[in-house]
Amino acid sequence: MADLEGLKVAKDYHQEIPFANQNGFYVKGANSLDWGMKRHLSNIFNPKSGKTVMFAFDHGYFMGSTAGLERLDLLLPKLAPYVDCFMGTRGAIRSSVAPELCRAVALRVTSGSSMLQDDLSHEVVAVDIEDAIRMNADCMASQTFIGADGQLSSIDNLSRIINAGMRYSIPTLGVCAVGKDMERTDRFFKLATRIIAEMGCQIVKSYDCENFEEVAAACPVPIVVAGGKKLPEREALHLAYDVIQKGAAGVDMGRNIFQSTHPVEMAMAVSKIVHEGLTDAQGWEFFQDLTHA
Ligand code: R5P
């Protein structure tokens, strides 16, 4: 391990220069992966725009029944046409959405905590690779707690998931966790997203922050940005627009879609911004036209 004393601050991110190792395959950092991995990534990232709108509804794995997600069986079929990927647990997906309606699947494979605890940073790998294969998962999502009590075990989980994924050509989505007491600075996200990418994840999920463009530039695989706590629709659309402008490869949005008064219209507006280049103002206008809000 390098001596940390006198460490220089990283600053040469060259955001204006596109990522170099593309050579034909459009998903960042995936050029040297095999056909099966690329196929799964193509299911997640739209080949025309290169981006994705993931709909996150895995909250039940530690929050139980969540406002807006009370009836997955009613919500998921309605949203399916307007998002690229469903991010959820195997229990939610198998029980509540018909295979023919399901989009690409980001399968949550870690578990072990509940919102009743103070420290949520200790999880286990709860899904066998065989079950991810049976569900034809397009990626496996693992929570990773950099700088928290559970860092070592979460990196151990992540490594085991990535190793299994490499055997069967299933990408891993490393979810950068932010606990109650964890920093949300660009310094933290540059550290955490890079560790997760260098572990071998093909996709990283993270959060918006100051200097997000530097976080995205320094991460050699696509970053999808979580929506986070519920915001007014106008602000959530701004978040989507802003992170895409700064180099995100998509959003992984939950509450800002399923807790909206109009979840379907919100998913449609987010998709227009992510895939069709609408500005946030245009996305908002589109949303208002649909909902008469
Ligand atoms: C992440 O670990 C969570 O389970 C959610 O998938 C994630 O936070 C995205 O949902 P939201 O946009 O509601 O934050």
Side-chain angles (χ1 to χ4, degrees):
M1 194 177 290
D3 178 2
L4 296 184
E5 205 174 312
L7 204 61
K8 285 190 179 176
V9 175
K11 58 181 168 46
D12 296 329
Y13 293 99
H14 302 289
Q15 297 105 281
E16 70 292 355
I17 305 177
F19 188 71
N21 185 27
Q22 290 297 109
N23 289 333
F25 190 64
Y26 65 99
V27 178
K28 187 177 185 183
N31 191 53
S32 303
L33 300 177
D34 80 305
W35 194 94
M37 281 270 186
K38 287 178 175 165
R39 176 73 193 137
H40 283 303
L41 291 168
S42 311
N43 290 339
I44 297 169
F45 294 97
N46 179 313
K48 274 196 198 141
S49 67
K51 301 200 167 52
T52 189
V53 176
M54 281 189 186
F55 174 58
F57 55 93
D58 57 334
H59 303 61
Y61 99 94
F62 75 105
M63 291 166 77
S65 173
T66 308
L69 293 181
E70 296 89 341
R71 289 291 301 268
L72 291 169
D73 58 317
L74 302 180
L75 181 70
L76 296 177
K78 279 197 275 187
L79 285 177
Y82 307 108
V83 300
D84 302 289
C85 182
F86 277 164
M87 181 190 189
T89 58
R90 61 179 168 181
I93 294 171
R94 269 210 179 93
S95 62
S96 304
V97 60
E100 67 273 23
L101 294 182
C102 196
R103 307 313 306 265
V105 167
L107 185 64
R108 156 73 62 181
V109 297
T110 55
S111 175
S113 47
S114 81
M115 64 190 280
L116 300 178
Q117 299 164 280
D118 283 334
D119 180 3
L120 299 177
S121 71
H122 298 275
E123 295 199 334
V124 294
V125 180
V127 177
D128 287 343
I129 185 69
E130 288 80 5
D131 207 30
I133 295 168
R134 272 194 290 271
M135 290 194 70
N136 200 19
D138 292 294
C139 68
M140 298 176 286
S142 172
Q143 199 82 357
T144 312
F145 299 90
I146 302 299
D149 272 2
Q151 175 176 303
L152 180 60
S153 63
S154 76
I155 286 187
D156 183 43
N157 293 341
L158 185 65
S159 315
R160 284 184 290 114
I161 293 163
I162 294 168
N163 287 332
M166 294 305 291
R167 276 202 296 283
Y168 299 104
S169 285
I170 304 180
T172 300
L173 167 62
V175 177
C176 176
V178 283
K180 267 192 288 196
D181 303 322
M182 288 161 72
E183 339 176 8
R184 293 185 181 222
T185 60
D186 58 335
R187 192 181 75 113
F188 169 73
F189 287 117
K190 280 173 189 162
L191 173 78
T193 56
R194 187 61 175 261
I195 289 176
I196 293 170
E198 294 213 17
M199 293 292 302
C201 283
Q202 290 78 19
I203 314 170
V204 174
K205 176 178 153 192
S206 188
Y207 288 82
D208 186 27
C209 63
E210 203 182 339
N211 300 318
F212 176 78
E213 61 279 17
E214 294 182 356
V215 178
C219 184
V221 298
I223 295 187
V224 292
V225 174
K229 68 175 184 203
K230 175 74 176 75
L231 302 167
E233 278 76 0
R234 177 78 180 82
E235 287 174 37
L237 294 173
H238 174 70
L239 169 73
Y241 174 71
D242 192 50
V243 294
I244 292 292
Q245 295 309 303
K246 291 176 176 165
V251 293
D252 185 8
M253 199 172 258
R255 285 162 288 180
N256 280 296
I257 293 178
F258 66 71
Q259 290 182 346
S260 168
T261 43
H262 299 90
V264 169
E265 291 79 2
M266 190 60 186
M268 291 167 83
V270 170
S271 177
K272 288 267 176 198
I273 289 171
V274 171
H275 292 304
E276 296 179 32
L278 260 60
T279 63
D280 48 343
Q282 290 168 325
W284 174 233
E285 211 179 302
F286 174 82
F287 177 80
Q288 285 178 302
D289 283 349
L290 290 176
T291 59
H292 310 292

